Amino acid sequence: MSARRRLRVPLALALVVAGLVVVRVLVGTPMVYADLAVRAVLGEQIPGVSFIVMDDRLPAAVVGVLGGAALGLSGTVFQTMLRNPLASPDVIGVTLGSSAAAVAGMALVDAQGLALFWWTLLGGLLTALLVLWIAQAHRRGGHGAGGAGVVDDRFVLVGIGVAAALLALVQYLLSRMETKKAGDTMHWLVGSLSGATWPRVAVLAGALVVLVPVLAALVGRLRILQLGDDTAASLGLPVPATRIALVLVGVLLSSFTVAVAGPLAFVAFLAGPIARLLAGRPSFVLAALLGAVLVLAADVAGQNLFGRVEMPAGVITGALGAPFLLWMLMRSSTTGRGR
């Protein structure tokens, strides 16, 4: 990619994000005129409009931007580290681990608010560590020994198996809940921006303020890690510590978003490969912008294209991601690794 294109693509995506934020705030039932929305954002109290803009639509738009960016970054961390486009938090079970832990917290101790955040974060983290431990133990046991690429594939396969078990756990917990609570939990499990509030925006923004600089500091090590474990170790890179640090960052980015907006299906999976198609290489900046575009576009579509029915953003992203996943699987089967 030329230097001019490297600047033009992210700028264009940033403008798309800004345009979608404007559409999300202005378009809906009722419509809001742009001048009234600007006055409401600047602090003027306009009956009806101030609530719609400042308490409903703008927090949802901001959560869409932050959550989409976090998921795009999280997916790119796993896909780049494991050198496999299928290795997103959705596919390897991290997102479902966060969701299962949240559902367990709701079902067992009626967890809400900050407590639910902790359940969600710990669930995603423990799931990732479990998958990593099983994959590494399988390698040390000599089963299917091979290079780093084989280990990376094994990580994905173990994650899919763990995700299946977690899905069964979620279904069991839902079957034991009261009908109303199960309905509320199911709505959260779909993934939606409708419950966005400014405190949730603050939580997600605070997480990104901390995690993005940490990720930026690890990107150089990640590039070395792509050369292979043996080569990276010969260059002085502490491979196990680097992998653990990257897993932690990826899990936290994903889990914070799940805690705020629920599991927005396939956003982390889609953003990285599309960014790679645009840039010709893994790009965290483009993945973050594309994640924001996907979530906002899905939310705008869900709010406005289905008549009186408001479709959660997670339904739209899931509908987009499922055929893309099938295409990636078919491509992997015909090219060996699909990289």
Side-chain angles (χ1 to χ4, degrees), residues 22-200:
V22 172
V23 172
R24 180 64 179 89
V25 172
L26 300 182
V27 178
T29 305
M31 298 284 289
V32 175
Y33 291 108
D35 61 327
L36 295 178
V38 171
R39 288 161 56 189
V41 170
L42 293 177
E44 184 176 343
Q45 291 299 313
I46 305 173
V49 173
S50 293
F51 175 81
I52 292 171
V53 172
M54 296 303 298
D55 295 320
D56 182 20
R57 296 181 184 177
L58 189 57
V62 176
V63 166
V65 173
L66 298 178
L71 290 174
L73 292 173
S74 177
T76 306
V77 166
F78 284 105
Q79 290 163 340
T80 306
M81 180 180 67
L82 299 175
R83 289 170 289 173
N84 191 321
L86 300 178
S88 77
D90 310 277
V91 177
I92 63 176
V94 173
T95 300
L96 197 51
S98 296
S99 301
V103 173
M106 295 176 192
L108 300 177
V109 297
D110 197 24
Q112 297 178 5
L114 185 60
L116 187 61
F117 276 106
W118 284 112
W119 280 82
T120 305
L121 292 172
L122 291 175
L125 179 60
L126 291 175
T127 301
L129 293 178
L130 175 63
V131 172
L132 183 61
W133 177 75
I134 294 174
Q136 292 294 339
H138 194 271
R139 180 191 187 189
R140 288 194 298 269
H143 303 289
V150 177
V151 177
D152 299 338
D153 283 338
R154 187 178 299 124
F155 190 99
V156 175
L157 293 174
V158 170
I160 292 173
V162 170
L166 290 170
L167 180 59
L169 174 62
V170 169
Q171 292 172 338
Y172 169 76
L173 291 171
L174 288 173
S175 71
R176 308 302 298 176
M177 286 183 178
E178 297 176 358
T179 302
K180 184 179 184 304
K181 182 183 286 188
D184 294 340
T185 304
M186 282 295 297
H187 181 76
W188 179 84
L189 282 171
V190 170
S192 172
L193 305 184
S194 61
T197 61
W198 289 116
R200 295 187 179 190

Side-chain angles (χ1 to χ4, degrees), residues 66 114 117 197-209 256 259-260:
L66 298 178
L114 185 60
F117 276 106
T197 61
W198 289 116
R200 295 187 179 190
V201 169
V203 168
L204 196 49
L208 287 171
V209 166
F256 266 103
V260 168

